[in-house]
Amino acid sequence: MLFSSNVFLFAFLPSILLIYYICPRKLRNPVLLLWSLVFYGWGEPVYLFLMIATILLNYFFGAWIHIRMSTNRSAKLILGIGVAANLLILGFFKYAGFFVTQLKAVLPFMAAVKVPEISLPIGISFYVFQSMSYIIDVYRNDAPVQRNVLTFGTYVTLFPQLIAGPIVRYADVALQMDNRKENISKFSSGVHRFIIGMAKKVLLANPMGSLWNLLQVQEGTLAAWVGIAAYTLQIYFDFSGYSDMAIGLGRMFGFEFLENFNYPYISKTITEFWRRWHISLSTWFKEYVYIPLGGNRKGLPRQILNLLVVWGLTGFWHGASWNFLLWGLYYAVLLIIEKLFLLKVLKKLPAVVGHIYSMVLVLFGWALFFFEDLSALGAFFVQLFKPAAISGHCGNIILAYLPMLALSIFAATPAAKVIGEKYGDKPVVRYVKLAAMAFLMVLCVAALVSQSYNPFIYFRF
Amino acid sequence: MKVKISEWITTFAFCAFLAVMSVLFILLPKQEMSETEKRNLEKAPEFSWENLSSGKLGADIESYMADHIPGRDFFVGVHSYTELLTGRQVTKDIYLAQGDRLVERPLRWNEQTEKNIKAVSDLATTLGQPVELMIVPSAGWAVRDSITGLSDEYLDEQLIEKLYGLAGEGVTTRDLVSVFGAYENPEQLYYRTDHHWTSLGAYTAYKAYMEMLGQPYTAREDFTVQTVQDFKGTTHSRAALWLIDGEPLEMWTGSESVTVRFGKSEEVHNKVFFENRLQELDKYTVFLDGNHDLVTLENPDAPVDETLLVIRDSYSNCLGPFLAQTYKKVVLVDLRYFSDAVADYCKLNRVDRVVVLYSLSNFMTDTNFGRLYATQNIQNLATKLYNAEELEEISNFEGTYYALSGKYPIQCSKTLGGSYRVSYLGEDRVAVLWFNSEGEKLSGKVYVTTCTLDDLSQLQIGDSMEKVKQIHPDACFSINMKDNGRIRSEHYTSDGFLVTIYYDQNTIAEITTELL
């Protein structure tokens, strides 16, 4: 189920809120678990079994690790098996098809093997990573073991962040699972956050996506630049909007999740960009891969290797295709170059240089991310750099979207937040905000409902 | 910390909004039809374990909720105005022009247009008789200088000129662009909220055409005009800018003695305006009862004793009665519903003059011109070969005829007794889908085409079923319950035919062959 759907807004959310708040505290986690399972199984009920298996598997490994450690025995092997089991699940459902296809290309005797057709279980990359964080945190004594399997299930399936993150590490919410306070202030800030997120997704990301779709078939240099800029904005608003909705929904149920995005497009360096973009994922890789590999503590050559490994994996985590790997390595190279000398150089230059430098590289990055087909990617880069005029129609498309582009760029910066803070916490500001939220909510619902508006044109002849 | 009032309001308002919407959704009666969209709304999904486990139930519930959400029209309107006010109109299908006019976006040359003009030229050759061609420019062209905001250029004049230039020798082109262009207020010739021409527009075209032919015509004053208020047409629906009002729709009555017959029916109607239709969603159907394959207008009082055959789109629903002022017999043929070859019809019936009369938009996009001179099969119609995977996806397509066409342009469609058969061609197979007259999908399947019509033509009545299976091992056998449980087999041939064989006790009882 998607947050930006009628079923979620007008059936799922009202019913879970009602049931959650009339239930005694004891029953609230099980209720959340149950509804999260409905939420998850809505599109593909088959994968509920996989979800339940993942929960049980990690609950069991967490308990086993805990028992071994509390009797002063080593749990390293068990942790290893647990992590491997999780990776196996992810590997099978996400990467099997890709690897078989690749092997078939190089190994002639594989020709007879059929490429497995597995549809990707929604959110698997997120919940497998969350489950892994749990057993690792228990192993590291960063978090207590969770004895109640229902509470643990609630953590893994928690519907706000189930499908698209943020990846909530167990250590960060361990206490909230059993002791959290729901109150009006939290709920109302959650509502704000949820509406902002939905507005990002429905009112900004979707139009930017339409613009990118319209421009992809147009020729001319400007079409390519505006197009990739639109995609850059789409992917940010889509993803950060989803994170905002997740954080907002979390608050409505008393949870506090960590921030996932921090205005990434105002970065002056790529290093800064990755501190601001999809923070929960970078943190996960840093905590569970980069630092265990030795991080920056084992000399420069080892650090470079570690960076390549982490970013290769980060890229690959986004999808089973070469271009994602390429995208990850692209960032690894940029980060290494910045570490070696570029950061120092950039610091001395005016800020605007850093902004332009980062933004252009990020644009190229999203091109790598978008085009799964490398020859299409090549053609796109040719279009970016070969001077060619655009058609009048294409010019009209771009002009038509200028207001939305400007609005999107404005919304991608902290400008609105800064202005808001300047006026402080006066009542009038609060009511203006409230009115703005109501307005955005109506616009969002309007956009959602419109998607189904489909005049039957066959009668028109 | 003290809870602020604004926080209470936020919480309460949000919860109340969700609650009211969901309670109203449950309580309000569900509409069957959408008046603005002119389509059937989704019906309540049926629960079954199969639907549930495949995830189809979830998708169905979402479509059902989306179609019946309280205040749907309001929200759709809000969204349309948001898009209009943020300047995105130029990327939409409908433009707003001054004076609350809603017009379709400009047209661009395409391959279909070239095919269609060639088909018209071929018709002239086949008939051995001149064919006239008159194309009506679009409503957007008439108001091209007063479009609000950005607009792509309206090239109707150039497009029609190019079209006429491509017409073959046997085609006489009739210029309506300069007639309409010279009209003082060309926008009056079209509706504000619909893509059709007004009665005034149709009359202007009628008068100009009769002048070109040197035939008499009925003067404007001699018509009695009856007006219906608040007509909201197709562009109004599509734009969803609800603040725009409806407009009057005029019915011009001239000679009272015009009679109308539809299709092959013998029933004679003594009227050209079907006022019962004004109660319906699409009021334009008041003109000649909407779309019919064949409409025959007869007027014994008309001055010219000739038969005029008009190959036409719905613009002629309004024009037909005007033409019947001059001609004793006017036959209107709609290629989308007419399943015989028009050339054959002309040869079998006495036709003095043939005119192809279309709006530019429909002429450029109609895919049925193949029916003019000879019925065409899928091999001639299809311009694209689909692969097996795509065909499978097409056959499983869930949606209306129109929705399918949006995803996979329909090139081969046949009308059979009130339903449509749509086929898509592949290398060695075809996907065949059935739709009812409402455009709702009935079924869809992929058939392997491993034999030709020649292979099957060796079969004779009395041959065994075994022989059929030998010739065409991939044949699809079924038992037709409606037909007393008779067994039949369907053979889609690689050369574009559908051969159906009926059996009686495992021997062939009947063979039918038709074009796919």
Side-chain angles (χ1 to χ4, degrees):
Chain A
M1 199 187 295
L2 294 172
F3 294 156
S4 51
S5 68
N6 292 290
V7 172
F8 179 80
L9 277 180
F10 303 122
F12 184 88
L13 188 55
S15 57
I16 176 68
L17 282 172
L18 183 70
I19 296 171
Y20 183 86
Y21 279 101
I22 58 174
C23 271
R25 188 158 296 277
K26 248 195 221 161
L27 284 178
R28 286 184 178 179
N29 277 343
V31 159
L32 269 182
L33 172 63
L34 188 69
W35 280 96
S36 295
L37 288 174
V38 170
F39 179 86
Y40 186 72
W42 192 253
E44 271 172 316
V46 197
Y47 285 132
L48 273 177
F49 295 107
L50 177 67
M51 168 65 86
I52 292 167
T54 311
I55 294 171
L56 292 176
L57 181 90
N58 285 288
Y59 175 77
F60 168 73
F61 270 103
W64 196 3
I65 290 168
H66 174 74
I67 291 166
R68 300 258 326 175
M69 295 201 346
S70 52
T71 52
N72 285 324
R73 283 178 290 169
S74 166
K76 201 166 191 169
L77 183 67
I78 294 153
L79 175 70
I81 297 170
V83 169
N86 277 301
L87 289 177
L88 208 66
I89 292 173
L90 188 61
F92 179 75
F93 285 99
K94 192 166 176 177
Y95 299 103
F98 175 74
F99 281 119
V100 173
T101 313
Q102 302 311 320
L103 286 176
K104 280 178 76 144
V106 279
L107 302 174
F109 65 84
M110 292 277 294
V113 179
K114 253 187 102 181
V115 178
E117 282 179 24
I118 303 164
S119 69
L120 188 67
I122 189 165
I124 189 168
S125 314
F126 291 93
Y127 68 75
V128 166
F129 266 42
Q130 290 207 167
S131 311
M132 276 158 70
S133 87
Y134 166 70
I135 55 174
I136 301 173
D137 287 348
V138 169
Y139 172 77
R140 289 180 178 174
N141 259 328
D142 284 344
V145 71
Q146 177 55 260
R147 287 166 201 279
N148 185 336
V149 69
L150 293 181
T151 310
F152 178 67
T154 312
Y155 158 71
V156 176
T157 59
L158 207 53
F159 77 86
Q161 40 74 40
L162 176 59
I163 289 175
I167 300 167
V168 178
R169 290 163 60 219
Y170 186 69
D172 291 331
V173 289
L175 289 177
Q176 300 180 35
M177 291 315 300
D178 293 314
N179 303 294
R180 60 177 179 274
K181 291 240 156 43
E182 302 89 352
N183 60 45
I184 293 291
S185 298
K186 222 183 212 179
F187 194 98
S188 117
S189 81
V191 169
H192 271 247
R193 196 59 188 270
F194 177 74
I195 293 175
I196 297 244
M198 192 160 63
K200 277 182 171 177
K201 161 80 186 127
V202 175
L203 302 181
L204 297 178
N206 290 353
M208 287 300 109
S210 317
L211 176 58
W212 171 227
N213 281 340
L214 288 169
L215 289 178
Q216 271 178 66
V217 292
Q218 296 292 329
E219 284 166 14
T221 320
L222 189 62
W225 282 98
V226 177
I228 196 65
Y231 180 61
T232 298
L233 290 162
Q234 181 199 1
I235 203 162
Y236 166 65
F237 287 119
D238 207 281
F239 205 169
S240 78
Y242 214 92
S243 286
D244 286 339
M245 287 189 270
I247 292 169
L249 288 166
R251 281 190 199 151
M252 292 182 205
F253 297 96
F255 289 95
E256 280 295 348
F257 301 143
L258 295 176
E259 290 297 328
N260 207 17
F261 288 86
N262 183 20
Y263 303 103
Y265 293 157
I266 60 163
S267 305
K268 292 194 279 290
T269 65
I270 296 301
T271 310
E272 185 185 353
F273 172 75
W274 275 104
R275 279 202 295 266
R276 292 171 174 273
W277 178 275
H278 203 179
I279 301 166
S280 67
L281 181 72
S282 330
T283 313
W284 196 98
F285 272 106
K286 191 175 137 205
E287 285 289 322
Y288 300 120
V289 184
Y290 183 68
I291 293 176
L293 282 176
N296 57 2
R297 292 161 293 148
K298 293 192 176 171
L300 191 64
R302 181 61 192 261
Q303 189 190 356
I304 289 177
L305 180 70
N306 289 346
L307 280 169
L308 284 170
V309 169
V310 166
W311 287 95
L313 290 174
T314 305
F316 215 42
W317 178 87
H318 284 83
S321 165
W322 288 117
N323 70 306
F324 293 116
L325 190 66
L326 195 66
W327 176 77
L329 293 175
Y330 165 82
Y331 276 112
V333 170
L334 291 176
L335 291 169
I336 291 165
I337 294 172
E338 286 195 350
K339 276 216 158 57
L340 290 177
F341 68 95
L342 200 59
L343 275 185
K344 285 175 207 142
V345 179
L346 284 168
K347 242 181 206 157
K348 287 179 193 141
L349 293 171
V352 62
V353 177
H355 285 304
I356 293 172
Y357 150 85
S358 311
M359 225 34 248
V360 169
L361 288 177
V362 168
L363 285 183
F364 292 166
W366 291 131
L368 287 179
F369 191 86
F370 179 81
F371 290 100
E372 286 191 21
D373 173 4
L374 294 186
S375 63
L377 176 71
F380 181 75
F381 271 95
V382 170
Q383 198 189 345
L384 274 179
F385 291 105
K386 196 175 120 198
I390 52 168
S391 68
H393 176 61
C394 178
N396 269 339
I397 294 175
I398 294 173
L399 284 174
Y401 272 89
L402 265 190
M404 289 313 292
L405 271 169
L407 196 64
S408 301
I409 292 169
F410 176 80
T413 69
K417 194 177 157 198
V418 170
I419 295 169
E421 277 166 7
K422 202 175 132 191
Y423 287 100
D425 194 24
K426 289 180 205 142
V428 63
V429 178
R430 286 204 296 271
Y431 288 108
V432 168
K433 262 194 199 162
L434 186 67
M437 288 305 136
F439 183 62
L440 285 180
M441 183 77 194
V442 170
L443 290 189
C444 285
V445 174
L448 279 184
V449 171
S450 283
Q451 287 169 2
S452 76
Y453 186 75
N454 193 1
F456 186 60
I457 317 186
Y458 198 62
F459 75 100
R460 79 195 182 87
F461 286 92
Chain B
M1 203 175 75
K2 202 172 155 261
V3 178
K4 298 183 185 87
I5 298 172
S6 66
E7 291 175 336
W8 277 108
I9 298 176
T10 307
T11 303
F12 177 77
F14 182 75
C15 293
F17 177 63
L18 297 189
V20 166
M21 288 290 281
S22 54
V23 169
L24 284 181
F25 169 72
I26 295 166
L27 293 185
L28 285 181
K30 307 286 178 288
Q31 282 178 320
E32 252 179 60
M33 281 285 285
S34 157
E35 198 162 319
T36 51
E37 287 158 279
K38 301 179 169 63
R39 68 171 172 95
N40 287 322
L41 293 170
E42 291 284 332
K43 295 190 178 65
E46 274 170 42
F47 179 87
S48 74
W49 287 107
E50 200 182 306
N51 278 355
L52 179 71
S53 64
S54 67
K56 187 176 175 294
L57 187 69
D60 285 352
I61 293 178
E62 172 62 24
S63 332
Y64 178 66
M65 279 197 79
D67 268 6
H68 298 279
I69 210 76
R72 183 158 180 271
D73 279 349
F74 165 77
F75 285 117
V76 169
V78 166
H79 184 66
S80 299
Y81 278 98
T82 312
E83 290 200 309
L84 178 70
L85 296 174
T86 51
R88 281 175 275 171
Q89 167 169 256
V90 74
T91 62
K92 302 268 137 198
D93 288 340
I94 303 294
Y95 289 1
L96 173 67
Q98 274 168 31
D100 282 353
R101 284 189 173 273
L102 298 165
V103 294
E104 293 179 309
R105 64 187 299 174
L107 296 153
R108 289 293 175 263
W109 192 260
N110 61 29
E111 277 176 27
Q112 189 64 47
T113 317
E114 255 156 80
K115 277 193 187 172
N116 291 351
I117 186 71
K118 186 170 178 304
V120 172
S121 306
D122 288 352
L123 174 68
T125 318
T126 313
L127 286 180
Q129 171 181 0
V131 167
E132 312 209 10
L133 176 65
M134 184 145 94
I135 301 290
V136 188
S138 68
W141 167 82
V143 295
R144 62 195 174 282
D145 296 326
S146 64
I147 306 284
T148 338
L150 296 161
S151 160
D152 284 340
E153 204 179 344
Y154 281 91
L155 300 172
D156 293 36
E157 281 175 77
Q158 291 89 322
L159 289 171
I160 293 175
E161 204 181 298
K162 186 171 173 186
L163 256 177
Y164 284 2
L166 289 173
E169 272 182 25
V171 180
T172 317
T173 57
R174 298 293 178 187
D175 173 24
L176 207 53
V177 171
S178 53
V179 176
F180 276 24
Y183 201 84
E184 202 181 336
N185 303 308
E187 73 273 9
Q188 289 180 359
L189 305 174
Y190 299 90
Y191 288 107
R192 257 189 324 106
T193 66
D194 192 82
H195 66 289
H196 288 110
W197 54 14
T198 54
S199 296
L200 179 63
Y203 175 77
T204 308
Y206 157 69
K207 183 180 151 200
Y209 186 39
M210 291 305 109
E211 280 172 345
M212 288 173 203
L213 296 176
Q215 302 282 27
Y217 59 86
T218 308
R220 194 173 165 179
E221 313 72 82
D222 295 340
F223 287 91
T224 47
V225 177
Q226 199 188 339
T227 306
V228 180
Q229 297 300 329
D230 205 29
F231 166 57
K232 289 173 184 163
T234 56
T235 53
H236 191 268
S237 286
R238 291 165 71 195
L241 299 170
W242 306 138
L243 298 181
I244 291 176
D245 290 333
E247 61 188 315
L249 176 146
E250 293 180 346
M251 294 175 278
W252 293 27
T253 308
S255 168
E256 299 273 354
S257 46
V258 180
T259 61
V260 178
R261 279 184 297 126
F262 296 118
K264 296 190 170 93
S265 159
E266 293 297 319
E267 192 187 345
V268 177
H269 303 268
N270 291 313
K271 58 183 178 181
V272 293
F273 301 115
F274 292 74
E275 291 175 38
N276 54 325
R277 291 284 200 163
L278 290 170
Q279 312 309 319
E280 293 184 14
L281 300 179
D282 185 6
K283 288 189 174 134
Y284 191 78
T285 52
V286 70
F287 298 109
L288 289 181
D289 196 43
N291 296 332
H292 288 276
D293 54 351
L294 189 70
V295 181
T296 311
L297 295 134
E298 278 167 300
N299 181 5
D301 299 343
V304 179
D305 187 14
E306 286 184 5
T307 298
L308 174 69
L309 181 103
V310 189
I311 297 157
R312 55 84 179 215
D313 61 6
S314 58
Y315 274 55
S316 290
N317 290 351
C318 181
L319 178 74
F322 287 117
L323 294 173
Q325 298 295 314
T326 299
Y327 289 92
K328 281 209 157 52
K329 188 169 173 188
V330 176
V331 180
L332 309 176
V333 173
D334 192 327
L335 293 178
R336 283 168 300 140
Y337 308 104
F338 193 71
S339 49
D340 306 333
V342 176
D344 296 344
Y345 180 91
C346 293
K347 282 173 190 161
L348 292 173
N349 300 274
R350 194 199 72 159
V351 170
D352 300 290
R353 188 181 288 277
V354 177
V355 55
V356 175
L357 205 158
Y358 270 75
S359 65
L360 180 59
S361 159
N362 283 340
F363 189 82
M364 290 179 70
T365 51
D366 199 321
T367 53
N368 298 291
F369 275 88
R371 291 194 195 148
L372 279 178
Y373 47 95
T375 320
Q376 287 202 334
N377 70 15
I378 189 167
Q379 299 285 342
N380 311 115
L381 294 168
T383 54
K384 183 181 166 171
L385 281 184
Y386 291 89
N387 65 34
E389 226 169 75
E390 288 171 315
L391 291 175
E392 201 56 49
E393 199 184 315
I394 290 170
S395 71
N396 291 324
F397 183 84
E398 288 303 327
T400 60
Y401 183 96
Y402 165 68
L404 177 68
S405 181
K407 203 154 178 220
Y408 302 98
I410 288 175
Q411 293 173 328
C412 180
S413 167
K414 299 266 188 295
T415 319
L416 298 124
S419 55
Y420 304 98
R421 185 181 66 212
V422 183
S423 330
Y424 291 86
L425 191 61
E427 195 70 54
D428 60 347
R429 57 197 69 197
V430 288
V432 180
L433 292 94
W434 290 88
F435 293 87
N436 68 15
S437 56
E438 303 274 280
E440 290 163 347
K441 186 185 165 189
L442 301 172
S443 65
K445 199 172 169 187
V446 175
Y447 297 90
V448 179
T449 55
T450 43
C451 68
T452 63
L453 186 62
D454 264 2
D455 296 339
L456 292 167
S457 60
Q458 22 175 324
L459 292 167
Q460 288 171 359
I461 290 178
D463 281 347
S464 70
M465 194 186 278
E466 284 313 306
K467 192 171 175 192
V468 178
K469 285 180 181 165
Q470 270 172 24
I471 292 174
H472 189 206
D474 296 315
C476 175
F477 286 84
S478 60
I479 295 173
N480 191 350
M481 279 308 158
K482 281 186 198 149
D483 195 14
N484 294 328
R486 220 165 35 147
I487 297 177
R488 67 166 182 209
S489 59
E490 289 172 316
H491 311 263
Y492 292 86
T493 71
S494 57
D495 43 356
F497 291 92
L498 165 58
V499 178
T500 313
I501 303 177
Y502 299 89
Y503 302 86
D504 194 6
Q505 306 289 338
N506 290 345
T507 56
I508 297 177
E510 193 186 340
I511 304 177
T512 63
T513 305
E514 58 188 302
L515 284 165
L516 186 55

PDB file of all heavy atoms in Angstrom, chain B residues 8 37 43 157 266 284 297 347 364 473 510:
ATOM      1  N   TRP B   8      -3.890  21.433  19.240  1.00  0.00           N
ATOM      2  CA  TRP B   8      -5.190  20.757  19.363  1.00  0.00           C
ATOM      3  C   TRP B   8      -5.959  20.824  18.053  1.00  0.00           C
ATOM      4  O   TRP B   8      -6.520  19.835  17.587  1.00  0.00           O
ATOM      5  CB  TRP B   8      -6.033  21.427  20.466  1.00  0.00           C
ATOM      6  CG  TRP B   8      -5.710  20.949  21.844  1.00  0.00           C
ATOM      7  CD1 TRP B   8      -5.046  21.644  22.816  1.00  0.00           C
ATOM      8  CD2 TRP B   8      -6.036  19.677  22.417  1.00  0.00           C
ATOM      9  NE1 TRP B   8      -4.926  20.884  23.952  1.00  0.00           N
ATOM     10  CE2 TRP B   8      -5.532  19.664  23.731  1.00  0.00           C
ATOM     11  CE3 TRP B   8      -6.693  18.535  21.924  1.00  0.00           C
ATOM     12  CZ2 TRP B   8      -5.664  18.584  24.589  1.00  0.00           C
ATOM     13  CZ3 TRP B   8      -6.825  17.451  22.773  1.00  0.00           C
ATOM     14  CH2 TRP B   8      -6.314  17.469  24.096  1.00  0.00           C
ATOM     15  N   GLU B  37     -17.438  12.277 -16.479  1.00  0.00           N
ATOM     16  CA  GLU B  37     -16.521  11.462 -17.265  1.00  0.00           C
ATOM     17  C   GLU B  37     -17.229  10.640 -18.319  1.00  0.00           C
ATOM     18  O   GLU B  37     -16.618  10.057 -19.201  1.00  0.00           O
ATOM     19  CB  GLU B  37     -15.734  10.511 -16.347  1.00  0.00           C
ATOM     20  CG  GLU B  37     -14.697  11.208 -15.541  1.00  0.00           C
ATOM     21  CD  GLU B  37     -14.348  10.393 -14.323  1.00  0.00           C
ATOM     22  OE1 GLU B  37     -15.096  10.463 -13.330  1.00  0.00           O
ATOM     23  OE2 GLU B  37     -13.358   9.672 -14.368  1.00  0.00           O
ATOM     24  N   LYS B  43     -17.266  -0.896  -9.897  1.00  0.00           N
ATOM     25  CA  LYS B  43     -18.225  -1.534  -8.989  1.00  0.00           C
ATOM     26  C   LYS B  43     -17.479  -2.068  -7.777  1.00  0.00           C
ATOM     27  O   LYS B  43     -16.269  -2.275  -7.826  1.00  0.00           O
ATOM     28  CB  LYS B  43     -18.921  -2.671  -9.717  1.00  0.00           C
ATOM     29  CG  LYS B  43     -19.760  -2.158 -10.877  1.00  0.00           C
ATOM     30  CD  LYS B  43     -20.638  -3.265 -11.423  1.00  0.00           C
ATOM     31  CE  LYS B  43     -21.506  -2.746 -12.554  1.00  0.00           C
ATOM     32  NZ  LYS B  43     -20.734  -2.319 -13.726  1.00  0.00           N
ATOM     33  N   GLU B 157      -4.417  25.118 -41.017  1.00  0.00           N
ATOM     34  CA  GLU B 157      -4.394  25.523 -42.422  1.00  0.00           C
ATOM     35  C   GLU B 157      -3.343  24.747 -43.202  1.00  0.00           C
ATOM     36  O   GLU B 157      -3.612  24.199 -44.259  1.00  0.00           O
ATOM     37  CB  GLU B 157      -4.078  27.024 -42.521  1.00  0.00           C
ATOM     38  CG  GLU B 157      -5.270  27.898 -42.224  1.00  0.00           C
ATOM     39  CD  GLU B 157      -4.877  29.365 -42.203  1.00  0.00           C
ATOM     40  OE1 GLU B 157      -4.689  29.955 -43.270  1.00  0.00           O
ATOM     41  OE2 GLU B 157      -4.753  29.891 -41.086  1.00  0.00           O
ATOM     42  N   GLU B 266     -35.750  -1.208 -40.767  1.00  0.00           N
ATOM     43  CA  GLU B 266     -36.800  -0.636 -41.607  1.00  0.00           C
ATOM     44  C   GLU B 266     -37.563   0.456 -40.863  1.00  0.00           C
ATOM     45  O   GLU B 266     -38.388   1.140 -41.428  1.00  0.00           O
ATOM     46  CB  GLU B 266     -37.788  -1.743 -42.040  1.00  0.00           C
ATOM     47  CG  GLU B 266     -37.187  -2.792 -42.975  1.00  0.00           C
ATOM     48  CD  GLU B 266     -36.735  -2.196 -44.303  1.00  0.00           C
ATOM     49  OE1 GLU B 266     -37.459  -1.349 -44.855  1.00  0.00           O
ATOM     50  OE2 GLU B 266     -35.642  -2.570 -44.767  1.00  0.00           O
ATOM     51  N   TYR B 284     -25.050  15.869 -27.037  1.00  0.00           N
ATOM     52  CA  TYR B 284     -24.826  16.027 -28.480  1.00  0.00           C
ATOM     53  C   TYR B 284     -25.538  14.925 -29.262  1.00  0.00           C
ATOM     54  O   TYR B 284     -25.811  15.055 -30.438  1.00  0.00           O
ATOM     55  CB  TYR B 284     -23.318  16.016 -28.769  1.00  0.00           C
ATOM     56  CG  TYR B 284     -22.970  16.440 -30.186  1.00  0.00           C
ATOM     57  CD1 TYR B 284     -22.962  17.784 -30.562  1.00  0.00           C
ATOM     58  CD2 TYR B 284     -22.677  15.487 -31.156  1.00  0.00           C
ATOM     59  CE1 TYR B 284     -22.663  18.160 -31.851  1.00  0.00           C
ATOM     60  CE2 TYR B 284     -22.369  15.860 -32.454  1.00  0.00           C
ATOM     61  CZ  TYR B 284     -22.363  17.200 -32.799  1.00  0.00           C
ATOM     62  OH  TYR B 284     -22.072  17.574 -34.077  1.00  0.00           O
ATOM     63  N   LEU B 297     -31.215   9.470 -44.552  1.00  0.00           N
ATOM     64  CA  LEU B 297     -32.169  10.578 -44.435  1.00  0.00           C
ATOM     65  C   LEU B 297     -32.878  10.719 -45.776  1.00  0.00           C
ATOM     66  O   LEU B 297     -32.224  10.756 -46.821  1.00  0.00           O
ATOM     67  CB  LEU B 297     -31.423  11.881 -44.123  1.00  0.00           C
ATOM     68  CG  LEU B 297     -30.706  11.955 -42.780  1.00  0.00           C
ATOM     69  CD1 LEU B 297     -29.316  12.509 -42.974  1.00  0.00           C
ATOM     70  CD2 LEU B 297     -31.491  12.824 -41.822  1.00  0.00           C
ATOM     71  N   LYS B 347     -21.558   0.436 -55.019  1.00  0.00           N
ATOM     72  CA  LYS B 347     -21.852  -0.278 -56.257  1.00  0.00           C
ATOM     73  C   LYS B 347     -23.238  -0.917 -56.212  1.00  0.00           C
ATOM     74  O   LYS B 347     -23.929  -0.991 -57.215  1.00  0.00           O
ATOM     75  CB  LYS B 347     -20.781  -1.338 -56.513  1.00  0.00           C
ATOM     76  CG  LYS B 347     -19.502  -0.718 -57.061  1.00  0.00           C
ATOM     77  CD  LYS B 347     -18.386  -1.728 -57.145  1.00  0.00           C
ATOM     78  CE  LYS B 347     -17.069  -1.032 -57.459  1.00  0.00           C
ATOM     79  NZ  LYS B 347     -15.923  -1.875 -57.102  1.00  0.00           N
ATOM     80  N   MET B 364      -7.294  12.726 -39.037  1.00  0.00           N
ATOM     81  CA  MET B 364      -5.875  12.423 -38.828  1.00  0.00           C
ATOM     82  C   MET B 364      -5.661  11.207 -37.930  1.00  0.00           C
ATOM     83  O   MET B 364      -4.579  10.643 -37.904  1.00  0.00           O
ATOM     84  CB  MET B 364      -5.164  13.643 -38.229  1.00  0.00           C
ATOM     85  CG  MET B 364      -5.042  14.775 -39.235  1.00  0.00           C
ATOM     86  SD  MET B 364      -4.241  16.217 -38.537  1.00  0.00           S
ATOM     87  CE  MET B 364      -2.579  15.627 -38.348  1.00  0.00           C
ATOM     88  N   PRO B 473      -2.162 -28.333 -35.195  1.00  0.00           N
ATOM     89  CA  PRO B 473      -2.067 -28.912 -33.846  1.00  0.00           C
ATOM     90  C   PRO B 473      -2.306 -27.877 -32.735  1.00  0.00           C
ATOM     91  O   PRO B 473      -2.698 -28.247 -31.638  1.00  0.00           O
ATOM     92  CB  PRO B 473      -0.623 -29.429 -33.778  1.00  0.00           C
ATOM     93  CG  PRO B 473      -0.062 -29.330 -35.147  1.00  0.00           C
ATOM     94  CD  PRO B 473      -0.895 -28.396 -35.931  1.00  0.00           C
ATOM     95  N   GLU B 510     -19.726 -27.504 -39.855  1.00  0.00           N
ATOM     96  CA  GLU B 510     -19.832 -26.165 -40.430  1.00  0.00           C
ATOM     97  C   GLU B 510     -18.472 -25.482 -40.358  1.00  0.00           C
ATOM     98  O   GLU B 510     -17.728 -25.665 -39.386  1.00  0.00           O
ATOM     99  CB  GLU B 510     -20.862 -25.365 -39.598  1.00  0.00           C
ATOM    100  CG  GLU B 510     -21.296 -24.082 -40.248  1.00  0.00           C
ATOM    101  CD  GLU B 510     -22.193 -23.252 -39.314  1.00  0.00           C
ATOM    102  OE1 GLU B 510     -22.764 -23.839 -38.366  1.00  0.00           O
ATOM    103  OE2 GLU B 510     -22.278 -22.043 -39.533  1.00  0.00           O
TER     104      GLU B 510
END
